[in-house]
Amino acid sequence: MADQPLWHGRFESNPADSLMKFTQSLSFDQKLWRDDITGSIAHVKGLVHSQIISKIEGEKIVTALETVANEFANDKFVFVASDEDIHTAIERRVTQIAGDTGAKLHTGRSRNDQVATALRLWCKRELANIAKLTLELCEVLNKRAGESGWGSDGVYLPGYTHMQRAQPVLLAHHFAAHTWAMLRDVDRLTQTIERLDVSPLGAGALAGSSLPLDADFVAKELGFARRFNNSMDAVSDRDFVAEALFDLTLIGVHLSRLGEEWVLWTTQEFGFAVLDDAYSTGSSMLPQKKNADIAELARAKSGRLIGNLTGLLATLKGLPLAYNRDLQEDKEPLFDSVNQVGLALQALAGMISTATFNTQTMKSAADSELLGATDLAEWLVARGMPFREAHAHVGALVSKSIRDSVKLSQLVTADEKLGADAASLLQPGVGISRRSTQGGGGPIPGAAQAIELSAAITVMRARVATLVN
Ligand code: ARG
């Protein structure tokens, strides 16, 4: 018996070795043990509730399931060769423990609704944890923003477009830009969790059952917000996995952007930031090296995250209703993406919270007079000159300054349209102090943004708290 799969009934010979090796999912779906048992306990309670099995039988099966849960929790569960996935392994063991009564566990249920139930339970918990970790990184960034200062004495650095120095911005503003993006990631995860909060249990193989199952009852038992509306959709819907993978991929893409900046910031060429030793790596050959491997891997991991997402979408494409074995391929990309994003978020949070900043280097880079060119053009606009004309006028001075190696401020002072007042805009820290647009990169709007960002984090923290239990 032990070397035959649970579905052996209509077969005359045992499955080929190569079939078992190729079709098994036990090697990767073991991590669903807790959720499979949770789903099974609810199912058994449902069978009792609908009087399909007796109360005593129900208790016996639940006790066996709890024994199995203990075996897993203590690393004592023993798999046998015919266990093709975690679901069949657990049912086999329950039947071993509870005998004929245990054999009633799968009444009115298919692995198709069973696996979908377990995976949704797993997603609810694990995505909530990723939301929490993402929020923690947001909090680190917000803290570093606050430390670097939102006010007129705040640290500033060049803001870049096309990776060319563009205009000075507060370091806090730069951190906040990443934080807002990641708050959207947290928001997206909470919405994904809300959408996937549906119980597929009772859908059976694809059409439900002739037994008087109560899908609402088991949905409630499992803490799902609602039950499925359509049994075929319930067993074949993996939208929630695709959506989870998208959310995770976008977090990965955001982390890759952050990672790339930190790779640059910690180079000798930039010299904006220094990593704590605990978050840096060395070279096996070059004794002087201190590398930003966390930042590099944060940049790199987005590649496999995108691969996991597109891989699953390709698997789902063209699948006819209802369940197909193809759907078993949903798990590895999902588990991998959750794992990698979780690791990246924690490593980056540690790296960023312990790094030190060369604030003088940042400021000096931003104090280049050329970064005030826009302020000069806007100064002319404020005095009535059409912007395009002002742009051309200042552009010509910039060109002359570079060509003749003359300081821009010197040319501005001598210029009949600009003069000494305008030249004072090019002094360190003046340009940034004049930036006034709401949400802009200077200290005037910075005060409001600091409040808005902290408030947004507080709102998300409350939402995530309702998900993590
Ligand atoms: N291991 C399978 C999965 O992950 C379980 C479902 C198998 N169902 C079936 N009807 N063969 O999807």
Side-chain angles (χ1 to χ4, degrees), residues 240-289:
F240 69 101
V241 181
E243 201 176 330
L245 284 176
F246 173 76
D247 296 353
L248 293 161
T249 303
L250 195 54
I251 294 174
V253 167
H254 289 153
L255 297 185
S256 78
R257 300 181 66 193
L258 194 61
E260 166 65 358
E261 285 181 353
W262 279 79
V263 169
L264 292 171
W265 284 12
T266 53
T267 57
Q268 270 180 352
E269 284 71 12
F270 267 80
F272 285 180
V274 180
L275 299 183
D276 188 88
D277 281 357
Y279 292 94
S280 328
T281 47
S283 156
S284 60
M285 179 173 168
L286 314 172
Q288 87 283 11
K289 289 297 290 295

Side-chain angles (χ1 to χ4, degrees), residues 25 29 85 87 111-112 115 238 323 325 327-328 331:
S25 54
D29 67 15
D85 58 22
H87 319 289
R111 259 187 301 162
N112 300 350
V115 68
R238 292 296 183 277
Y323 179 85
R325 193 62 179 262
L327 294 176
Q328 179 169 290
K331 285 167 212 67

Side-chain angles (χ1 to χ4, degrees), residues 262-385:
W262 279 79
V263 169
L264 292 171
W265 284 12
T266 53
T267 57
Q268 270 180 352
E269 284 71 12
F270 267 80
F272 285 180
V274 180
L275 299 183
D276 188 88
D277 281 357
Y279 292 94
S280 328
T281 47
S283 156
S284 60
M285 179 173 168
L286 314 172
Q288 87 283 11
K289 289 297 290 295
K290 182 170 170 182
N291 297 330
D293 284 21
I294 292 176
E296 287 178 293
L297 282 170
R299 186 176 61 188
K301 296 284 185 186
S302 53
R304 75 198 263 182
L305 295 169
I306 292 167
N308 287 343
L309 169 63
T310 53
L312 180 78
L313 289 173
T315 299
L316 297 180
K317 180 194 167 294
L319 277 189
L321 287 172
Y323 179 85
N324 297 276
R325 193 62 179 262
D326 310 50
L327 294 176
Q328 179 169 290
E329 287 288 295
D330 59 357
K331 285 167 212 67
E332 284 168 292
L334 176 66
F335 295 161
D336 182 55
S337 291
V338 165
N339 183 38
Q340 293 300 329
V341 169
L343 293 170
L345 285 166
Q346 293 173 79
L348 280 170
M351 184 192 86
I352 294 172
S353 61
T354 54
T356 46
F357 298 107
N358 291 328
T359 54
Q360 208 41 57
T361 309
M362 288 181 168
K363 276 186 175 165
S364 311
D367 283 337
S368 152
E369 288 191 341
L370 294 183
L371 272 68
T374 313
D375 297 313
L376 294 176
E378 287 175 355
W379 189 90
L380 289 170
V381 166
R383 280 148 193 81
M385 189 183 284

